[in-house]
Amino acid sequence: MSITIPFDNTYANLPEGFFAKALPTPVKTPNLIAFNADLAKLLGINVSDLNGAADVFSGNQIAENAAPIAQLYAGHQFGSFNPQLGDGRAHLLGEVVGSDGVRRDIQLKGSGQTPFSRAGDGRAWMGPVLREYVISEAMHALGIPTTRALAAVSTGETIYRDGAMPGAILTRVASSHLRVGTFQVFAHRGLIDQLKTLTDYAIARHHPDADGPMGLLRAVCQKQADLIAAWMSVGFIHGVMNTDNCTISGETIDYGPCAFMDAYHEARVYSSIDQMGRYAFGNQPRVIVWNMAQFATALIQQCDDKEAAVEEATEIVHAMPGQIEAAWLARFGRKIGLAQATDADQTLIEDLLALMQQDGADFTNTFNALSGEAPSAQFLDQDRFAAWSAQWNARLAEEVDPLAVMRGANPQIIPRNHQIEKMIAAAVAADMVPFERLQEALAQPFDVSAEFADLQRPPTDDEIVPATFCGT
Ligand code: AMP
Ligand code: MG
């Protein structure tokens, strides 16, 4: 075996109850279809020879010093509490400390059943695997905290979703897989010692400056506030912000029915399972506060003075809408060229969004056009745009270099749904060219090469993908 991974595990050394030891189930004919050499280097993985990589990243061969486990967690799914979820189709192989000093998990997803599989088959098919690969790496290139993709392997097996699909396994890298749901499971069971151990572990690993459970809550709330504002600034809709998909690190996790918006609408929903729009674009700031309230509730269980803890947690969670608004204002301000937007600029931004919504303007291309020659071409209502533009230009007169500010804040390319769907259809037919091309284009989102102009174009009416499916 020529792949060596410098494992240095900590979670697997925690006392019993945090995970189940579980081995991946071998697959028929593993074949490496994608490998992220840059990320591998960061992780200190020797990649001089990729022979044997398919075996390691399918779980057919357990890499030396790996300690495969399935992590236990619970979670609120669409608002209802599920007391036990856990990794039902993922195996945490172990952790590595990268050349940047950051400790990260290396996890296989789609690697077979575990004690937490419930009725699931433990598998994933190629569509969602490549979707997560491309979108998570695009998110990283956008500078937004996210889990990453190290490898994708086709398994040579058929799995059944809406029909027979080719199986695949993703190797996901995360600064950890701790989630709100990890705390909820122990709080719900009244396992206070474990809750305390977990709290100490999370503080040491992610928020070393945090003072106790309430300090951890404060740190995670700030990270999540920043994350939601960052998502919104690129038109991202997560689609399934359940508490088990909400990380303690503040990284984006679980690219299920997510989507980057084409035409702007505040209430945009893509997920086929989100009938009520709970996770609609504009609802994300409210949902994250709800999730953090659940986190607070779990953390409080370990505090001796519950009354004081409730009071402090309430203050922390209630501060979140203001934090999100501030982060949102800073980011959207930069999108229209304001280096430091103030409250007085809020209306200017909201007026533009209202006009974009009225005209069904493309989110990414419209913000991009603002620093170009013909922004008005993005709008139908020319009078209303001219009126907005006059106000905007008056405000820009106070700025030093608004063009540079806009160029640094507005990606020129995002992973559009219709391109993702085309990429998956091609990959299923063994054509990996669209996958490679999408990745290359998305790697430089603020400075895209002219050869990728077709990928910047919004979908035509018959290309529009109305819904994304969780059928993962
Ligand atoms: P997700 O929607 O990916 O966040 O998954 C929610 C829960 O369902 C997690 O506990 C997953 O491990 C589990 N799960 C999803 N798909 C499967 C599957 N095919 N087999 C077993 N468990 C699954
Ligand atoms: Mg999940």
Side-chain angles (χ1 to χ4, degrees), residues 291-351:
N291 284 354
M292 288 300 109
Q294 306 315 312
F295 185 38
T297 303
L299 284 168
I300 286 167
Q301 308 310 314
Q302 68 191 292
C303 299
D304 294 329
D305 184 347
K306 295 241 173 2
E307 213 169 301
V310 168
E311 200 170 309
E312 190 175 0
T314 304
E315 173 256 307
I316 294 167
V317 174
H318 282 185
M320 248 194 122
Q323 290 171 319
I324 298 171
E325 210 158 289
W328 182 95
L329 184 62
R331 286 190 177 263
F332 277 81
R334 289 197 290 274
K335 290 178 79 67
I336 63 166
L338 312 180
Q340 246 148 6
T342 66
D343 289 346
D345 298 313
Q346 177 123 0
T347 318
L348 188 63
I349 299 165
E350 283 171 354
D351 286 350

Side-chain angles (χ1 to χ4, degrees), residues 73 77 85-89 117-118 120-123 161 244-245 254 470 472:
Y73 54 88
Q77 299 179 305
L85 293 164
D87 292 328
R89 51 153 166 187
S117 294
R118 296 171 290 153
D121 62 0
R123 296 300 187 189
R161 292 295 182 259
D244 54 304
N245 291 336
D254 264 13
C470 208
T472 57

Side-chain angles (χ1 to χ4, degrees), residues 138-471:
M139 195 67 105
H140 172 72
L142 287 166
I144 299 177
T146 177
T147 64
R148 300 195 59 190
L150 177 62
V153 169
S154 61
T155 62
E157 296 181 353
T158 301
I159 66 163
Y160 297 89
R161 292 295 182 259
D162 281 335
M165 307 290 193
I169 296 170
L170 178 75
T171 303
R172 175 160 75 181
V173 172
S175 69
S176 90
H177 285 83
L178 297 181
R179 337 140 180 263
V180 170
T182 320
F183 289 78
Q184 287 183 293
V185 75
F186 300 110
H188 179 72
R189 294 180 184 179
L191 299 172
I192 302 308
D193 284 348
Q194 269 135 323
L195 189 60
K196 285 182 175 166
T197 302
L198 183 65
T199 301
D200 291 345
Y201 181 88
I203 289 174
R205 186 155 171 184
H206 294 296
H207 306 286
D209 297 333
D211 184 11
M214 292 303 110
L216 179 61
L217 177 64
R218 207 177 282 278
V220 176
C221 284
Q222 184 64 62
K223 288 270 183 202
Q224 288 289 342
D226 291 341
L227 181 65
I228 298 310
W231 286 354
M232 294 184 82
S233 76
V234 294
F236 181 74
I237 306 164
H238 183 283
V240 59
M241 291 170 67
N242 294 332
T243 57
D244 54 304
N245 291 336
C246 184
T247 59
I248 301 309
S249 66
E251 287 177 347
T252 311
I253 196 169
D254 264 13
Y255 293 84
C258 67
F260 282 80
M261 236 186 319
D262 296 304
Y264 175 71
H265 199 294
E266 217 217 326
R268 183 79 67 219
V269 174
Y270 285 91
S271 168
S272 58
I273 54 170
D274 191 3
Q275 304 286 337
M276 309 295 286
R278 180 182 174 89
Y279 301 136
F281 178 75
N283 217 27
Q284 297 181 115
R286 283 182 284 278
V287 166
I288 196 62
V289 176
W290 192 89
N291 284 354
M292 288 300 109
Q294 306 315 312
F295 185 38
T297 303
L299 284 168
I300 286 167
Q301 308 310 314
Q302 68 191 292
C303 299
D304 294 329
D305 184 347
K306 295 241 173 2
E307 213 169 301
V310 168
E311 200 170 309
E312 190 175 0
T314 304
E315 173 256 307
I316 294 167
V317 174
H318 282 185
M320 248 194 122
Q323 290 171 319
I324 298 171
E325 210 158 289
W328 182 95
L329 184 62
R331 286 190 177 263
F332 277 81
R334 289 197 290 274
K335 290 178 79 67
I336 63 166
L338 312 180
Q340 246 148 6
T342 66
D343 289 346
D345 298 313
Q346 177 123 0
T347 318
L348 188 63
I349 299 165
E350 283 171 354
D351 286 350
L352 174 64
L353 289 170
L355 174 56
M356 287 167 62
Q357 177 159 316
Q358 172 199 287
D359 283 2
D362 185 82
F363 185 85
T364 304
N365 292 359
T366 300
F367 279 107
N368 245 294
L370 292 180
S371 52
E373 261 142 41
S376 64
Q378 301 292 323
F379 297 93
L380 302 170
D381 191 338
Q382 292 292 311
D383 290 346
R384 196 168 160 189
F385 177 70
W388 180 81
S389 192
Q391 285 193 316
W392 177 48
N393 279 303
R395 175 64 182 82
L396 284 189
E398 301 163 33
E399 294 291 319
V400 181
D401 193 354
L403 283 181
V405 170
M406 281 188 268
R407 285 193 200 110
N410 293 320
Q412 297 164 349
I413 185 166
I414 41 124
R416 292 187 186 269
N417 288 313
H418 65 294
Q419 296 296 351
I420 295 280
E421 297 294 320
K422 281 186 200 174
M423 173 278 286
I424 292 170
V428 167
D431 173 10
M432 296 302 285
V433 173
F435 172 78
E436 301 294 345
R437 198 166 170 263
L438 251 187
Q439 271 200 85
E440 198 186 331
L442 291 163
Q444 304 285 344
F446 297 98
D447 187 18
V448 75
S449 149
E451 67 181 289
F452 300 124
D454 59 311
L455 301 176
Q456 294 176 269
R457 183 175 61 65
T460 57
D461 284 349
D462 54 346
E463 283 176 326
I464 289 176
V465 178
T468 50
F469 293 88
C470 208

